[in-house]
Amino acid sequence: MPDHPPHHATIDDVARHAKVSIATVSRYINRSARVSPGTAARIEAAMTALAYQPTSAAQKLAGGKMNTIGLVVDEISGEFFQPMLRGIQAGASDAGYDLLIYSLRRTNRAGRYALGEKNCDGLVVFADSLPDDELCRLSETSFPVVLLHRSSPSGFNIPCVTIENKRGARDMVDYLIEQRGYRRIAFLRGHEGHEDSAWRETGYKESLAAHGLEYDSRLVGYGGFDEDIAKETVTQWLRRGITMDVIFAADDDSAIGAILAIKHCNRHVPQDIAVVGFDDIRLANYLDPPLTTVRAPIEEVSRTAVEKLVEVMHGHSVPPVTLLPTELRIRQSCGCC
Amino acid sequence: MPDHPPHHATIDDVARHAKVSIATVSRYINRSARVSPGTAARIEAAMTALAYQPTSAAQKLAGGKMNTIGLVVDEISGEFFQPMLRGIQAGASDAGYDLLIYSLRRTNRAGRYALGEKNCDGLVVFADSLPDDELCRLSETSFPVVLLHRSSPSGFNIPCVTIENKRGARDMVDYLIEQRGYRRIAFLRGHEGHEDSAWRETGYKESLAAHGLEYDSRLVGYGGFDEDIAKETVTQWLRRGITMDVIFAADDDSAIGAILAIKHCNRHVPQDIAVVGFDDIRLANYLDPPLTTVRAPIEEVSRTAVEKLVEVMHGHSVPPVTLLPTELRIRQSCGCC
DNA sequence: TTCAATCATGTAAACGCTTACAAAGCATAC
DNA sequence: GTATGCTTTGTAAGCGTTTACATGATTGAA
């Protein structure tokens, strides 16, 4: 008896074993039409006997649906990433989709984006990981896309899901002014193109204005969503003798940098200068002092993005913008106790 | 002019546009054979003109290779996960593979594993995310698999990549005994099935033995690789009046729990009881006091696992076990300063 | 009893590629 | 000028599914 190389069972094998046609097997597998109970049982038996597993590539080719959602990120890093992926994976899995991750810092071949229309049924695009024109191109072919932590390029109407950045920042600054009585409030902004940062800054400005405090550009610096950059900026401030009651960092990482800079200059948080952040990463609660921050429901947002994407893929329409609420997390770094 | 639904360009369209056969286009795309410069230029032009992109499903079906590596994890969580994914993605991307993530806490349909032979060219399996028999089944069909943070089921010879757990733990305990002079050293173990934990415990025991210290089972408890569990265990110890010089936690999360428990009982770290961990998660350096721990090169290990997997997929043989070295990170929680 | 409707199943044509094989073009060597 | 070999290209057969359409069996109503 010739023992062939372990050729994996195909749908033909199952059909033969169950004495039906491959069409019937396919129908049974996909529940795409009724098959009689007897036949169903024979097919089921054949499948287990042969340890049959559909070849997804063939299903994709023939069926036209990939059953795959793509996630585009620029880089896998930051405290941000894990809850995001967790949410995305959960959403995809619940909807019965596979997840393909495109990390564009490491694009495969010669700038040509390997992602997209042919290989996924839909795409979740994180922040500014994809240039606007690419986004527009995808949108024009009416390929399902949902944006995460950014809004649609103007003129287009790509649904987006993110958190209430402006509101969160506004709440935080309101709190600092109203409850803590601070007047000189510095702000550490994030990346240039990053919308989260821009909205948070807007919330900051609105709160100042609402309380009759003047916006002072010397109190706004670049934190880069990065511990080291923020540390450098704050150190410069302190060296130049710029004074402030509190530093509102656009994210927790830069808040950490701010705390470090203050300590390095032998000043105390929050007695000399208070510090607050945004995101509520795990670290926040373990810092010394524990960091007052705005909790961003990252996992929920990501999961929601996938849910919206699935809607779009099913041809339903979804609201152009979905915002999830934030929440103040008051700890010691703001001087509350 | 009838405007068809935006039918995506196929290889046929490109071939027609470039006035060559599809075979030539395919050869050009895959560089699988020489094509004359003139032809190449026409094909290239046609591809950009039509914004052509190969359909991966078709390539997979026809070519027999998926160009996809699967990563099997049980859950997307823990500080551990991000560096791991980062390493895996980097490795896969460098080797020109896509990455598919199987999170088995959320298996798709009725226990039938959708992963594997038909849909990836190879699999990286993390720790105990897959039962042994499943692993064996895969191995028997000589499907390329590499294990991450676990060893091969006995009788099989599946390559594995992990860190020098035993050696790392041994180094740490040696240090605690020789440099710090501790004698009563408690150990917080991790999950039952988790090999990392088992090896670390072995290293702990070996060091004790090598220094003529007796193994005291009352000083070994369950930390569960989890902050809360560890906290509970240590709290119990302290309540029962069990004394120790230092607690060696099998991972940093349980070390955090230990520190919390000690503080809750109004004792001081490291003056009353020192604490050390394992992994060197980001948090470690920000704790109060900063945590002495063993650095586990998680990202490098993951990346290496993919590299080994690619070797296996290419039919090369790889060493059955690859261990990456750890490194002591001495900070304040061990009482060094 | 007969005709239509319904149901379960089979047949065969895609889906968009890769690749073995064949053919054609064109030097080179005799 | 013909045989030889190399290079470039084309032809066509799959790869393992899904699904439109066809078929035969069964049922129910007239």
Side-chain angles (χ1 to χ4, degrees), chain A:
Chain A
M1 164 187 321
D3 86 317
H4 338 221
H7 173 66
H8 288 141
T10 72
I11 199 172
D12 294 277
D13 300 318
V14 175
R16 205 169 312 121
H17 192 285
K19 304 200 192 315
V20 293
S21 72
I22 61 169
T24 304
V25 176
S26 174
R27 284 188 278 252
Y28 173 73
I29 291 173
N30 304 304
R31 309 300 194 248
S32 58
R34 276 193 56 87
V35 305
S36 70
T39 314
R42 290 204 318 282
I43 294 176
E44 185 59 44
M47 295 209 299
T48 41
L50 301 172
Y52 169 73
Q53 263 207 303
T55 302
S56 66
Q59 290 181 306
K60 291 172 183 184
L61 225 210
K65 61 273 279 55
M66 305 292 128
N67 261 297
T68 300
I69 287 175
L71 168 66
V72 189
V73 295
D74 43 0
E75 208 173 347
I76 298 175
S77 67
E79 300 283 322
F80 208 81
F81 187 82
Q82 188 209 305
M84 177 171 94
L85 183 64
R86 204 175 148 81
I88 301 265
Q89 161 72 35
S93 172
D94 284 355
Y97 287 88
D98 282 336
L99 213 211
L100 214 42
I101 297 183
Y102 298 100
S103 175
L104 290 186
R105 278 282 167 276
R106 348 186 98 260
T107 303
N108 306 12
R109 319 167 191 285
R112 189 185 299 274
Y113 292 125
L115 48 82
E117 37 265 273
K118 306 291 269 309
N119 305 324
C120 311
D121 306 300
L123 229 42
V124 173
V125 177
F126 173 69
D128 46 350
S129 56
L130 221 50
D132 272 28
D133 56 351
E134 189 72 10
L135 235 34
C136 298
R137 193 178 66 66
L138 284 170
S139 176
E140 273 162 354
T141 63
S142 69
F143 183 76
V145 176
V146 166
L147 304 174
L148 191 55
H149 288 275
R150 69 156 289 172
S151 59
S152 179
S154 62
F156 288 80
N157 209 21
I158 310 177
C160 63
V161 181
T162 182
I163 56 174
E164 286 187 336
N165 279 301
K166 193 178 83 171
R167 177 61 185 272
R170 173 75 196 260
D171 288 347
M172 174 61 91
V173 180
D174 284 354
Y175 168 82
L176 295 174
I177 297 172
E178 296 168 10
Q179 307 293 317
R180 302 259 64 75
Y182 296 133
R183 315 293 292 177
R184 292 186 56 76
I185 302 172
F187 182 75
L188 282 175
R189 58 161 69 98
H191 305 303
E192 188 58 37
H194 206 300
E195 289 194 15
D196 282 350
S197 174
W199 284 113
R200 289 169 196 181
E201 188 168 349
T202 304
Y204 160 77
K205 287 179 181 167
E206 284 189 7
S207 178
L208 291 185
H211 292 86
L213 294 177
E214 206 167 329
Y215 173 81
D216 181 346
S217 66
R218 287 166 308 173
L219 287 180
V220 175
Y222 181 56
F225 279 171
D226 181 272
E227 177 179 324
D228 294 327
I229 296 175
K231 186 176 169 185
E232 180 58 25
T233 300
V234 173
T235 303
Q236 290 302 327
W237 278 346
L238 298 178
R239 285 231 181 92
R240 287 203 237 105
I242 297 177
T243 62
M244 64 211 74
D245 300 326
V246 56
I247 297 174
F248 177 23
D251 85 324
D252 289 347
D253 277 310
S254 39
I256 293 174
I259 292 176
L260 254 35
I262 294 170
K263 287 184 175 176
H264 263 235
C265 296
N266 288 312
R267 317 281 284 279
H268 296 282
V269 181
Q271 296 85 339
D272 299 319
I273 302 177
V275 174
V276 300
F278 203 118
D279 279 349
D280 196 23
I281 62 177
R282 180 161 184 231
L283 224 67
N285 195 27
Y286 295 90
L287 293 173
D288 175 36
L291 185 69
T292 291
T293 188
V294 182
R295 178 179 128 75
I298 301 170
E299 182 170 341
E300 293 89 322
V301 169
S302 310
R303 194 197 180 92
T304 305
V306 176
E307 286 165 6
K308 298 296 177 195
L309 179 60
V310 172
E311 294 278 300
V312 173
M313 294 185 322
H314 288 357
H316 306 322
S317 71
V318 302
V321 178
T322 306
L323 295 178
L324 269 65
T326 59
E327 203 180 327
L328 249 40
R329 282 278 197 272
I330 307 300
R331 301 197 181 97
Q332 280 85 60
S333 73
C334 62
C336 75
C337 341

Side-chain angles (χ1 to χ4, degrees), chain B residues 21 23-24 27 34-36 39 61-62:
Chain B
S21 73
T24 304
R27 285 189 278 252
R34 275 195 56 88
V35 305
S36 70
T39 314
L61 227 208

